Amino acid sequence: MLRVGVLVSGGGTNLQAILDAEKSGVIRHAKVVYVLSNNASAYALTRAASAGIANECISPSSFETREDFHRALLAAIEREQLDLIVLAGYLVKLPDEMIQRYRGRIMNIHPSLIPSFCGKGAYGLKVHEQALSRGVKVTGATVHLVDEGLDEGPILLQKPDDTPETLQRRVMEEAEWVLLPRAIEDYARAAAEREDKA
């Protein structure tokens, strides 16, 4: 069984998806045994504690120098004897020494189809704002291995990976079937309001 550590900065929705996948049997050969955050108030730590998973906060702000933080981070990862490190919304750049030591064993989820909308400053809602402002027609998510660059490591998986049929089904379920009933209700409500005023 692979020992997995998840590094996260915020709410931990991706962490929860991993834990749910373990519980449902989608993930059968790996187990999350450790969760680390750079943010003491990250809800991800609560999720980990509720699931009985060892967790802690190691924040750069708790150290005098970045080097001290890097040493503490690396010591914690080594102490847990992890086989795989998963960055699930972790907003701190890893030290090169850690990347070199765990090369090929650190993966990241990024909320765009790399190489679009990635690199410095591209995280969370900012990525989706950039995609919408550029008017892209297709966006998705990428899982990639971490290297010394930001969002530059080898891509493992991307989604969407649609066929015309799966795209049609997703558009119907997530857009058409939501929008059409809402439009009918909005239209009917506006008509009723006009009638009441007449």
Side-chain angles (χ1 to χ4, degrees):
M1 183 77 59
L2 230 57
R3 293 175 54 82
V4 178
V6 179
L7 279 56
V8 60
S9 294
T13 54
N14 282 314
L15 168 63
Q16 190 62 56
I18 296 165
L19 297 177
D20 292 347
E22 281 182 13
K23 195 175 289 188
S24 70
V26 171
I27 298 175
R28 296 184 327 222
H29 299 93
K31 179 152 187 59
V32 175
V33 296
Y34 177 66
V35 173
L36 180 143
S37 182
N38 62 301
N39 174 5
S41 62
Y43 189 66
L45 295 173
T46 302
R47 290 180 196 271
S50 296
I53 299 168
N55 63 88
E56 68 182 310
C57 174
I58 300 178
S59 173
S61 64
S62 300
F63 297 89
E64 286 192 27
T65 68
R66 200 65 168 189
E67 291 75 26
D68 290 342
F69 164 68
H70 288 167
R71 276 192 289 279
L73 176 64
L74 191 53
I77 296 298
E78 289 176 347
R79 177 193 72 223
E80 296 300 325
Q81 299 178 343
L82 301 174
D83 301 304
L84 177 65
I85 300 162
V86 177
L87 308 183
Y90 188 63
L91 303 180
V92 177
K93 186 170 183 339
L94 298 181
D96 286 350
E97 181 184 352
M98 183 172 164
I99 293 168
Q100 290 158 10
R101 189 166 299 178
Y102 291 92
R103 188 167 307 281
R105 296 191 294 154
I106 307 172
M107 67 174 58
N108 180 50
I109 179 80
H110 185 76
S112 77
L113 297 173
I114 291 175
S116 298
F117 313 114
C118 59
K120 187 172 176 143
Y123 61 88
L125 194 57
K126 293 178 180 185
V127 172
H128 305 298
E129 290 168 346
Q130 291 173 1
L132 288 173
S133 72
R134 290 295 303 267
V136 298
K137 303 297 182 211
V138 176
T139 190
T142 303
V143 177
H144 65 94
L145 292 177
V146 173
D147 64 10
E148 288 81 1
L150 285 177
D151 302 322
E152 294 179 6
I155 292 171
L156 300 175
L157 295 170
Q158 287 187 311
K159 191 166 184 61
D161 50 1
D162 280 312
T163 65
E165 293 78 16
T166 60
L167 179 59
Q168 177 189 39
R169 182 76 183 179
R170 196 171 76 246
V171 168
M172 284 191 305
E173 290 175 356
E174 297 176 18
E176 293 177 18
W177 297 351
V178 173
L179 294 176
L180 188 55
R182 188 185 316 161
I184 292 167
E185 175 58 21
D186 289 351
Y187 183 91
R189 187 174 52 247
E193 288 172 4
R194 283 192 304 273
E195 193 172 300
D196 287 345
K197 290 179 183 177

